[in-house]
Amino acid sequence: MAENNSTVVKPLCEDITTLDALTESPQPPVPLLRRAQDPCVFVIFGASGDLTGRKLIPGLYNLACQELLPSRFSVVGYAITPLDGHGFRQQMRERVRRSPDVLAFRDRLWEDFAPALHYVSGDFENPEDYRRLATFLAEIDAQHGSGGNRLFYLATPPSCYGSIVHNLAEHRLVHRSGDSGGWTRVIVEKPFGRDLESARRLNALIHQAFEEDQIYRIDHYLGKETVQNILAFRFANSIIEPIWNRNYIDHVQITAAETLGVEHRARYYEEAGCLRDMFQNHLMQLLALIAMEPPVRYDRQSVRDRKADVFRAIFPIRMEQLDQLAVRGQYGAGQVDGVAAPAYRAEPDVALDSGTETFAALKMTMDNWRWAGVPFYLRSGKRLARKLTMVSIEFKRVPHLFFAHTAHDQIEPNVLTIRLQPDEGISLKLGAKAPGPEMHIRQMQMDFSYADAFGEFPATAYETLLLDALQGDPTLFNRNDAVELSWRILQPVLETWQASRAAAPFPNYSAGGWGPAAADELLIRDGRVWRNTAALPRFYLTDVNK
Amino acid sequence: MEITVEKQEGVTIVRLPGEQLDASNAKDFKRDIASILAPASKVVFDLSQLRFVDSSGLGAMLSCLRQVNSAGGELKLCGLSKPVRALFELVRMHRIFDICDTKDDAVRVLQT
C-alpha cells in the first residue's frame, strides 16, 4: 500500500514534505496544484470594470490562500478611474469579501494578499500615462524582484485593444520570446472579434506586438472542471474510446439553455446575438472536446492541434442549405418558472423592431473518419424553460430485440449525458429488466454527481486559467487558428441572418418554452428529438417533450 | 451519521464520528450538519477521531465554513491527527481554516 500511495501521489506535487504521513491513507487523497514559480507583475487593463472585482481578484485571492501564486507577485490595476492604491485595495476587499467564488474570506489572509495590489490611473490612449505605468512597473521590479516578467490582462472592451497593444510596444513593455529582461504574456478576453474578418484583424493587431505563444485568448468555459472532465472521461477510461465514433453513436446534442433574458447586456447583445455570444466560443469549444482525436500528450501543441482538426473537418454550411441546417429565434412575452417575462423587444435598450436572435440551433456534420454521417445538433437560447448546459450522446439502437413483451421502438437507445450545469455530472441510460415474472425492459440511469464525488468547491474556472497563464501553459486557451476557423464555420450563417434581419419572423417563441417550432423540426426531419432534460424521459419519440 | 453535539460556554462543539470523511459519507455529513450549523455562530469541529479525508470530505467542511462565515459566525477545527493535518497542509487548507490543537484551545479562542 505504501509503495502504491507514493507512486500515485508523487507526480502531483513537487514539494511535498509530508508524504510519510499520508501512507496511512487508504487511497490517494486529493488533487494537488503546482505553485507558479516565476516572479511576476500582473497588470489588469480595465481594473475598475466589473470583471476585475467579480472574477480576477477573487481568483487571485483564492490562489494566494492556497500559496499557489509566486512568492514575488504583484498586481497593478490600470484604468481611467481616478483612484490610488489604498482605494483600489479597499474596493477589492469588499468585492472579495462578498464574492461567492472565494474559498473563505479571512482578514488574516486578506492582509497577507492585499499589499500586492497596486493601482495606476491612466488613459488607454495617452502615451504619457503609459510612461508613468512603465516607471511604476520598473519600481515594482526593483522593490520585489519581479525580473521584468509581465502578465497583461486586457479586461477592456475590444475597441481598446489596439491602443493598449500599440502603447505597450511603444513603451518597450513587451519582451519577445528569447529577449533578455523577463517574459511577457497577454490574456485577451472574449469576444475575440465579431466575425471572421474582425477576428483576423484583431489577431494581426495583437501579433504586431506579441508572438502567438505569448497570447492567451481566454474563454472561462475551458477552465470549468466539468468541461475539462470531458477529456478525462473520454481518454482516461479505456471502455469509452472504442465506442466513441460513427459505429456506435447516432448523434450528439449540445444544449446551452438559459432562463434569464438579456438582463443589463442589451446594448452588447443587440449587436452580438446568440450566435456570436454563445456559439463561436462556448458551444464550438464543447463540440471540439467531444469530437477531437486523442492528442499525443496533454500540452499546448497537441491538444490545440486536435481541436483545430475538428473545426477543419466540419462541413461548410452553404447559404442555400441554411434553411435545413440553421434556425434562429427571438423570444416573445411568456412565463419563466411561473413568472411573467417580457418580450425581448420590450426589454430596455432593445429596438422595438429588433432583428437580433436570442436563440439559435445548428446542425453540423463532419468530413472525417470518426464522425462521417453523425450529426451534431447545437442550440442555445435565452428565456428558455430551464437553465441547462449539457451534452447528450445518443447511441444507436440495438439491431434486434427478442424480448416478447417489449416493442423495439419502446426501448430507448443508450444515452450518455454530460451535465455541465446545474447538478454537474454524467449519467448513462441503460435498459434493464423490470422486476416481475415476465421479461419487460425498462430504462434506468447510472449517475455520477460531481458534488457527491468531489464535494462542493466554489467555481474555479478563472483561477485555474490565471494559474495556467502564470505558469506559461496555454493549453486551455484558444489559439488563433481555432478562433478563425470557428468564425469561418459560422460566417455564412452570420451573413445570411444579418442580411435578412429586417425580415426575421420575430418573435417566434414564447419566453419559458424551448425555442421556435423550427428548432424541433430540425431534428424531427431526421427522426430525432431534442433532449430537454438530463433526467430519464418516458418514451422515446412519444411524450419526451411534454 | 451520528454527529455528537455539545455546548460549552456558548460554543457548539461538533464531534465527527468515524475515522473517515470521504465520498462514502460526506453527503450524509452535509445533510446532518446543516440543521446544527443554522442557529450556531461559534462552532468547533472536533476531528480527533478522523484518520482520512478526501476531496469530498474537504469540500463538505469547506461548505460548512462558508455557511458559518456567511452568517457572521466562526468555525474552528481541532484535534487533527497527523495524516489529516498533513492532508490539510498539502492542499493548503490549513490556511483557509483556523486550526487549534485541542478543543479547549478552540473554545478559548472563540470566547476572546
Coordinates of all heavy atoms in Angstrom, one line a residue, chain A residues 282-350:
Chain A
H282 N -18.2 29.2 -26.7 CA -18.5 28.1 -25.8 C -19.0 26.8 -26.5 O -18.4 25.7 -26.2 CB -19.7 28.5 -24.8 CG -19.4 29.7 -24.0 ND1 -18.1 30.1 -23.6 CD2 -20.2 30.7 -23.5 CE1 -18.1 31.2 -23.0 NE2 -19.4 31.6 -22.9
L283 N -20.0 26.9 -27.3 CA -20.5 25.7 -27.9 C -19.5 25.0 -28.9 O -19.4 23.8 -29.0 CB -21.9 26.0 -28.6 CG -23.1 25.7 -27.8 CD1 -23.1 26.7 -26.6 CD2 -24.4 25.8 -28.5
M284 N -18.8 25.9 -29.6 CA -17.8 25.3 -30.5 C -16.7 24.6 -29.8 O -16.1 23.6 -30.2 CB -17.2 26.4 -31.5 CG -18.2 26.9 -32.4 SD -18.9 25.7 -33.6 CE -17.6 25.6 -34.8
Q285 N -16.3 25.2 -28.6 CA -15.3 24.5 -27.8 C -15.8 23.2 -27.2 O -15.0 22.2 -27.2 CB -14.9 25.5 -26.6 CG -14.1 26.7 -27.1 CD -12.8 26.3 -27.7 OE1 -12.1 25.3 -27.3 NE2 -12.3 27.0 -28.7
L286 N -17.0 23.1 -26.8 CA -17.6 21.9 -26.3 C -17.6 20.9 -27.5 O -17.2 19.7 -27.3 CB -19.0 22.1 -25.8 CG -19.2 22.8 -24.5 CD1 -20.6 23.0 -24.1 CD2 -18.5 22.1 -23.4
L287 N -18.0 21.3 -28.6 CA -18.0 20.4 -29.8 C -16.6 19.9 -30.1 O -16.4 18.7 -30.3 CB -18.5 21.2 -31.0 CG -18.4 20.5 -32.4 CD1 -19.3 19.3 -32.5 CD2 -18.7 21.5 -33.5
A288 N -15.6 20.7 -30.0 CA -14.2 20.3 -30.2 C -13.8 19.2 -29.2 O -13.2 18.2 -29.6 CB -13.3 21.5 -30.2
L289 N -14.1 19.5 -27.9 CA -13.7 18.5 -26.9 C -14.4 17.1 -27.1 O -13.8 16.1 -26.8 CB -14.0 19.1 -25.5 CG -13.1 20.3 -25.1 CD1 -13.7 20.9 -23.9 CD2 -11.7 19.9 -24.9
I290 N -15.7 17.2 -27.5 CA -16.4 15.9 -27.7 C -15.9 15.2 -29.0 O -15.8 14.0 -29.0 CB -17.9 16.2 -27.9 CG1 -18.5 16.8 -26.6 CG2 -18.7 15.0 -28.4 CD1 -18.6 15.8 -25.5
A291 N -15.5 15.9 -30.0 CA -15.2 15.3 -31.3 C -13.7 15.1 -31.6 O -13.4 14.3 -32.5 CB -15.8 16.1 -32.4
M292 N -12.8 15.7 -30.8 CA -11.4 15.6 -31.2 C -10.8 14.2 -31.1 O -11.3 13.4 -30.3 CB -10.6 16.6 -30.3 CG -10.6 16.2 -28.8 SD -9.9 17.5 -27.8 CE -8.2 17.3 -27.9
E293 N -9.8 14.0 -31.8 CA -9.0 12.8 -31.8 C -8.1 12.9 -30.5 O -7.9 14.0 -30.0 CB -8.1 12.7 -33.0 CG -8.9 12.5 -34.3 CD -9.7 11.2 -34.3 OE1 -9.2 10.2 -33.8 OE2 -10.9 11.2 -34.7
P294 N -7.7 11.7 -30.0 CA -6.8 11.8 -28.8 C -5.5 12.5 -29.1 O -4.8 12.2 -30.1 CB -6.5 10.3 -28.5 CG -7.0 9.6 -29.7 CD -8.0 10.4 -30.4
P295 N -5.1 13.5 -28.3 CA -3.9 14.2 -28.5 C -2.7 13.3 -28.1 O -2.9 12.4 -27.3 CB -3.9 15.4 -27.6 CG -5.0 15.2 -26.7 CD -5.9 14.1 -27.2
V296 N -1.5 13.5 -28.6 CA -0.4 12.7 -28.2 C 0.0 12.9 -26.8 O 0.3 12.0 -26.0 CB 0.8 13.1 -29.1 CG1 2.1 12.4 -28.6 CG2 0.6 12.8 -30.6
R297 N -0.1 14.2 -26.3 CA 0.1 14.4 -24.9 C -0.8 15.7 -24.5 O -1.3 16.4 -25.4 CB 1.5 14.7 -24.6 CG 2.2 15.8 -25.4 CD 3.7 15.9 -25.1 NE 4.4 14.8 -25.6 CZ 4.8 14.7 -26.9 NH1 4.6 15.7 -27.7 NH2 5.5 13.7 -27.3
Y298 N -0.9 15.9 -23.2 CA -1.7 17.0 -22.7 C -0.8 18.2 -22.7 O -0.2 18.6 -21.7 CB -2.3 16.7 -21.4 CG -3.3 17.7 -20.9 CD1 -4.6 17.7 -21.4 CD2 -3.0 18.6 -19.9 CE1 -5.5 18.6 -21.0 CE2 -3.9 19.5 -19.4 CZ -5.2 19.5 -20.0 OH -6.1 20.5 -19.6
D299 N -0.7 18.9 -23.8 CA 0.1 20.1 -23.9 C -0.4 21.1 -24.9 O -1.3 20.7 -25.6 CB 1.6 19.8 -24.1 CG 1.9 19.2 -25.5 OD1 1.0 19.3 -26.4 OD2 3.0 18.7 -25.7
R300 N 0.2 22.2 -24.9 CA -0.3 23.3 -25.7 C -0.5 23.0 -27.2 O -1.4 23.4 -27.9 CB 0.6 24.6 -25.5 CG 2.0 24.3 -26.1 CD 2.9 25.5 -26.0 NE 3.3 25.8 -24.6 CZ 3.9 26.9 -24.2 NH1 4.1 27.9 -25.1 NH2 4.2 27.1 -23.0
Q301 N 0.5 22.2 -27.7 CA 0.5 21.9 -29.1 C -0.5 20.8 -29.5 O -1.3 21.0 -30.3 CB 1.9 21.5 -29.5 CG 2.1 21.2 -31.0 CD 2.2 22.5 -31.8 OE1 2.7 23.5 -31.3 NE2 1.8 22.5 -33.1
S302 N -0.4 19.7 -28.8 CA -1.1 18.5 -29.1 C -2.6 18.8 -29.0 O -3.4 18.5 -29.9 CB -0.7 17.3 -28.3 OG 0.6 17.1 -28.4
V303 N -3.0 19.3 -27.8 CA -4.5 19.4 -27.6 C -5.1 20.4 -28.6 O -6.1 20.2 -29.2 CB -4.7 19.9 -26.1 CG1 -6.2 20.3 -25.9 CG2 -4.3 18.8 -25.1
R304 N -4.4 21.5 -28.8 CA -4.9 22.6 -29.6 C -4.9 22.2 -31.1 O -5.7 22.6 -31.9 CB -4.3 23.9 -29.3 CG -4.5 24.3 -27.8 CD -4.2 25.7 -27.5 NE -2.8 26.1 -27.7 CZ -2.3 27.3 -27.6 NH1 -3.1 28.3 -27.2 NH2 -1.1 27.6 -27.8
D305 N -3.9 21.4 -31.5 CA -3.9 20.8 -32.9 C -5.1 20.0 -33.1 O -5.8 20.1 -34.2 CB -2.7 20.0 -33.1 CG -1.4 20.8 -33.3 OD1 -1.5 22.1 -33.5 OD2 -0.3 20.2 -33.4
R306 N -5.4 19.1 -32.2 CA -6.6 18.2 -32.4 C -7.9 18.9 -32.4 O -8.8 18.6 -33.1 CB -6.6 17.1 -31.3 CG -5.3 16.2 -31.3 CD -5.2 15.3 -32.5 NE -4.8 16.0 -33.7 CZ -3.5 16.3 -33.9 NH1 -2.6 15.9 -33.1 NH2 -3.1 16.9 -35.0
K307 N -8.0 20.0 -31.5 CA -9.2 20.8 -31.6 C -9.4 21.5 -32.9 O -10.5 21.6 -33.5 CB -9.2 21.8 -30.4 CG -9.5 21.1 -29.1 CD -9.2 22.0 -27.9 CE -10.1 23.1 -27.8 NZ -9.8 23.9 -26.5
A308 N -8.3 22.1 -33.4 CA -8.4 22.7 -34.7 C -8.8 21.8 -35.8 O -9.5 22.1 -36.7 CB -7.0 23.4 -35.0
D309 N -8.3 20.5 -35.7 CA -8.7 19.5 -36.7 C -10.2 19.3 -36.8 O -10.7 19.1 -37.8 CB -8.0 18.1 -36.3 CG -6.6 18.1 -36.6 OD1 -6.1 19.0 -37.4 OD2 -5.9 17.1 -36.2
V310 N -10.8 19.4 -35.6 CA -12.3 19.2 -35.6 C -12.9 20.3 -36.4 O -13.8 20.1 -37.3 CB -12.8 19.3 -34.2 CG1 -14.4 19.4 -34.2 CG2 -12.4 18.1 -33.4
F311 N -12.5 21.6 -36.2 CA -13.1 22.7 -37.0 C -12.8 22.6 -38.5 O -13.6 23.0 -39.3 CB -12.5 24.0 -36.4 CG -12.9 24.3 -35.0 CD1 -12.0 25.0 -34.1 CD2 -14.1 23.8 -34.5 CE1 -12.4 25.2 -32.8 CE2 -14.5 24.1 -33.1 CZ -13.6 24.8 -32.3
R312 N -11.6 22.0 -38.8 CA -11.3 21.9 -40.2 C -12.2 20.8 -40.8 O -12.4 20.8 -42.1 CB -9.8 21.5 -40.4 CG -8.8 22.6 -40.1 CD -7.4 22.2 -40.5 NE -6.5 23.3 -40.1 CZ -5.8 23.3 -38.9 NH1 -5.9 22.2 -38.1 NH2 -5.1 24.3 -38.6
A313 N -12.6 19.8 -40.0 CA -13.4 18.7 -40.6 C -14.9 19.0 -40.7 O -15.6 18.3 -41.4 CB -13.2 17.5 -39.7
I314 N -15.4 20.1 -40.1 CA -16.8 20.4 -40.2 C -17.1 20.9 -41.6 O -16.5 21.8 -42.2 CB -17.2 21.5 -39.2 CG1 -17.0 20.9 -37.7 CG2 -18.6 22.0 -39.4 CD1 -17.2 21.9 -36.6
F315 N -18.2 20.3 -42.2 CA -18.6 20.6 -43.5 C -19.0 22.1 -43.5 O -19.8 22.5 -42.6 CB -19.8 19.8 -43.9 CG -19.5 18.5 -44.6 CD1 -19.7 17.3 -43.9 CD2 -18.9 18.5 -45.8 CE1 -19.4 16.1 -44.6 CE2 -18.5 17.3 -46.4 CZ -18.8 16.1 -45.8
P316 N -18.6 22.9 -44.4 CA -19.0 24.3 -44.5 C -20.5 24.3 -44.7 O -21.1 23.5 -45.4 CB -18.3 24.8 -45.8 CG -17.2 23.9 -46.0 CD -17.6 22.5 -45.5
I317 N -21.2 25.3 -44.0 CA -22.6 25.5 -44.2 C -22.8 26.4 -45.4 O -22.4 27.5 -45.4 CB -23.2 26.1 -42.9 CG1 -23.0 25.2 -41.7 CG2 -24.7 26.4 -43.1 CD1 -23.4 25.8 -40.4
R318 N -23.4 25.8 -46.4 CA -23.6 26.7 -47.6 C -25.0 27.4 -47.5 O -25.9 27.0 -46.9 CB -23.7 25.8 -48.9 CG -22.4 25.1 -49.1 CD -22.3 24.6 -50.6 NE -23.4 23.8 -51.0 CZ -23.4 22.5 -50.9 NH1 -22.4 21.9 -50.3 NH2 -24.4 21.8 -51.3
M319 N -24.9 28.6 -48.0 CA -26.1 29.5 -47.8 C -27.4 28.9 -48.3 O -28.4 29.1 -47.7 CB -25.9 30.8 -48.5 CG -24.7 31.6 -47.9 SD -24.8 33.3 -48.3 CE -23.3 34.0 -47.4
E320 N -27.3 28.1 -49.4 CA -28.6 27.5 -49.9 C -29.1 26.4 -49.0 O -30.2 26.0 -49.2 CB -28.4 27.0 -51.4 CG -27.3 25.9 -51.5 CD -25.9 26.4 -51.8 OE1 -25.7 27.6 -51.4 OE2 -25.1 25.7 -52.3
Q321 N -28.2 25.9 -48.1 CA -28.7 24.9 -47.2 C -29.2 25.4 -45.9 O -29.6 24.7 -45.0 CB -27.5 24.0 -46.8 CG -26.9 23.2 -47.9 CD -25.7 22.5 -47.3 OE1 -24.8 23.1 -46.8 NE2 -25.6 21.2 -47.5
L322 N -29.1 26.7 -45.7 CA -29.3 27.3 -44.4 C -30.6 27.0 -43.8 O -30.7 26.7 -42.6 CB -29.1 28.8 -44.5 CG -28.6 29.5 -43.3 CD1 -27.2 29.0 -43.0 CD2 -28.6 31.0 -43.5
D323 N -31.7 26.9 -44.6 CA -33.0 26.6 -44.0 C -33.0 25.2 -43.4 O -33.8 24.9 -42.5 CB -34.1 26.8 -45.1 CG -34.3 28.2 -45.4 OD1 -33.9 29.1 -44.7 OD2 -35.0 28.5 -46.5
Q324 N -32.2 24.3 -44.0 CA -32.2 23.0 -43.5 C -31.3 22.8 -42.3 O -31.4 21.7 -41.6 CB -31.8 22.0 -44.6 CG -32.7 22.1 -45.8 CD -34.1 21.6 -45.5 OE1 -34.2 20.5 -45.0 NE2 -35.1 22.4 -45.8
L325 N -30.4 23.7 -42.1 CA -29.3 23.4 -41.1 C -29.3 24.4 -39.9 O -28.6 24.2 -38.9 CB -27.9 23.5 -41.8 CG -27.7 22.5 -42.9 CD1 -26.3 22.6 -43.5 CD2 -27.9 21.0 -42.4
A326 N -30.0 25.6 -40.1 CA -29.9 26.6 -39.1 C -31.3 27.2 -38.7 O -32.1 27.4 -39.6 CB -28.9 27.7 -39.5
V327 N -31.5 27.5 -37.5 CA -32.7 28.1 -37.0 C -32.4 29.2 -36.1 O -31.5 29.1 -35.2 CB -33.6 27.0 -36.3 CG1 -34.8 27.7 -35.7 CG2 -34.0 25.9 -37.2
R328 N -33.1 30.3 -36.3 CA -32.9 31.4 -35.3 C -34.3 31.8 -34.7 O -35.3 31.5 -35.3 CB -32.4 32.7 -36.0 CG -33.2 33.2 -37.1 CD -32.6 34.5 -37.8 NE -33.1 34.7 -39.1 CZ -32.9 35.8 -39.8 NH1 -32.3 36.8 -39.3 NH2 -33.4 35.9 -41.1
G329 N -34.2 32.3 -33.5 CA -35.4 32.7 -32.8 C -35.2 33.9 -32.0 O -34.1 34.3 -31.7
Q330 N -36.3 34.5 -31.6 CA -36.3 35.6 -30.6 C -37.6 35.4 -29.7 O -38.6 35.2 -30.2 CB -36.4 36.9 -31.3 CG -36.2 38.1 -30.4 CD -36.6 39.4 -31.1 OE1 -37.7 39.8 -31.2 NE2 -35.5 40.1 -31.7
Y331 N -37.4 35.6 -28.4 CA -38.5 35.3 -27.5 C -39.5 36.5 -27.5 O -39.1 37.7 -27.5 CB -38.0 35.0 -26.1 CG -37.2 36.0 -25.4 CD1 -37.8 37.0 -24.6 CD2 -35.8 35.9 -25.3 CE1 -37.1 37.9 -23.9 CE2 -35.1 36.9 -24.6 CZ -35.7 37.9 -23.9 OH -35.0 38.8 -23.2
G332 N -40.7 36.0 -27.4 CA -41.8 37.0 -27.1 C -42.2 36.9 -25.7 O -41.5 36.2 -24.9
A333 N -43.2 37.5 -25.3 CA -43.6 37.5 -23.8 C -44.0 36.1 -23.5 O -44.4 35.3 -24.3 CB -44.7 38.5 -23.6
G334 N -43.9 35.8 -22.2 CA -44.3 34.5 -21.7 C -44.1 34.4 -20.3 O -44.0 35.4 -19.5
Q335 N -43.9 33.1 -19.8 CA -43.7 32.9 -18.4 C -42.5 32.0 -18.2 O -42.4 30.9 -18.9 CB -44.9 32.2 -17.8 CG -46.1 33.2 -17.6 CD -47.0 32.7 -16.4 OE1 -47.1 31.5 -16.2 NE2 -47.6 33.6 -15.7
V336 N -41.6 32.4 -17.3 CA -40.5 31.5 -17.0 C -40.6 31.2 -15.5 O -40.6 32.1 -14.7 CB -39.1 32.3 -17.3 CG1 -38.0 31.3 -16.9 CG2 -39.1 32.7 -18.7
D337 N -40.6 29.9 -15.2 CA -40.8 29.5 -13.8 C -42.0 30.1 -13.1 O -42.0 30.5 -12.0 CB -39.5 29.8 -13.0 CG -38.4 28.9 -13.4 OD1 -38.6 27.8 -13.9 OD2 -37.2 29.3 -13.3
G338 N -43.1 30.3 -13.9 CA -44.3 30.8 -13.4 C -44.3 32.3 -13.2 O -45.3 32.9 -12.7
V339 N -43.3 33.0 -13.6 CA -43.2 34.5 -13.5 C -43.3 35.1 -14.9 O -42.6 34.6 -15.9 CB -41.9 34.9 -12.9 CG1 -41.8 36.4 -12.8 CG2 -41.7 34.2 -11.5
A340 N -44.1 36.1 -15.1 CA -44.3 36.7 -16.4 C -42.9 37.3 -16.8 O -42.2 38.0 -16.1 CB -45.3 37.8 -16.3
A341 N -42.6 37.1 -18.1 CA -41.4 37.6 -18.7 C -41.7 38.4 -19.9 O -42.5 38.0 -20.7 CB -40.4 36.5 -19.0
P342 N -41.2 39.6 -20.0 CA -41.5 40.5 -21.2 C -40.8 39.9 -22.5 O -39.9 39.1 -22.4 CB -40.9 41.8 -20.9 CG -39.8 41.5 -19.9 CD -40.2 40.3 -19.2
A343 N -41.3 40.4 -23.6 CA -40.7 40.0 -24.9 C -39.3 40.7 -25.0 O -39.1 41.7 -24.3 CB -41.6 40.5 -26.0
Y344 N -38.4 40.1 -25.8 CA -37.1 40.7 -26.0 C -37.2 42.1 -26.4 O -36.5 43.0 -26.0 CB -36.3 39.8 -27.0 CG -35.0 40.4 -27.3 CD1 -33.9 40.4 -26.4 CD2 -34.7 41.0 -28.6 CE1 -32.7 41.0 -26.7 CE2 -33.5 41.5 -28.9 CZ -32.5 41.5 -27.9 OH -31.2 42.0 -28.2
R345 N -38.1 42.4 -27.4 CA -38.3 43.7 -27.9 C -38.8 44.7 -26.9 O -38.8 45.9 -27.2 CB -39.1 43.7 -29.2 CG -38.5 43.0 -30.4 CD -39.4 42.8 -31.5 NE -38.7 42.3 -32.7 CZ -39.3 42.0 -33.9 NH1 -40.6 42.2 -34.0 NH2 -38.6 41.6 -34.9
A346 N -39.3 44.2 -25.8 CA -39.8 45.1 -24.8 C -38.7 45.3 -23.7 O -39.0 46.1 -22.7 CB -41.1 44.5 -24.1
E347 N -37.6 44.7 -23.8 CA -36.5 44.9 -22.8 C -35.9 46.3 -23.0 O -35.8 46.8 -24.1 CB -35.4 43.8 -23.0 CG -35.9 42.4 -22.9 CD -35.8 41.8 -21.5 OE1 -35.7 42.6 -20.5 OE2 -35.8 40.6 -21.3
P348 N -35.4 46.9 -21.9 CA -34.7 48.2 -22.0 C -33.5 48.1 -23.0 O -32.8 47.1 -23.1 CB -34.2 48.5 -20.6 CG -35.0 47.6 -19.7 CD -35.4 46.4 -20.5
D349 N -33.3 49.2 -23.8 CA -32.2 49.3 -24.7 C -32.3 48.3 -25.9 O -31.3 48.1 -26.6 CB -30.8 49.1 -24.0 CG -30.6 50.1 -23.0 OD1 -30.9 51.3 -23.2 OD2 -30.0 49.8 -22.0
V350 N -33.5 47.7 -26.1 CA -33.6 46.9 -27.3 C -34.6 47.6 -28.3 O -35.6 48.1 -27.8 CB -34.2 45.5 -26.9 CG1 -34.6 44.7 -28.1 CG2 -33.3 44.7 -26.0

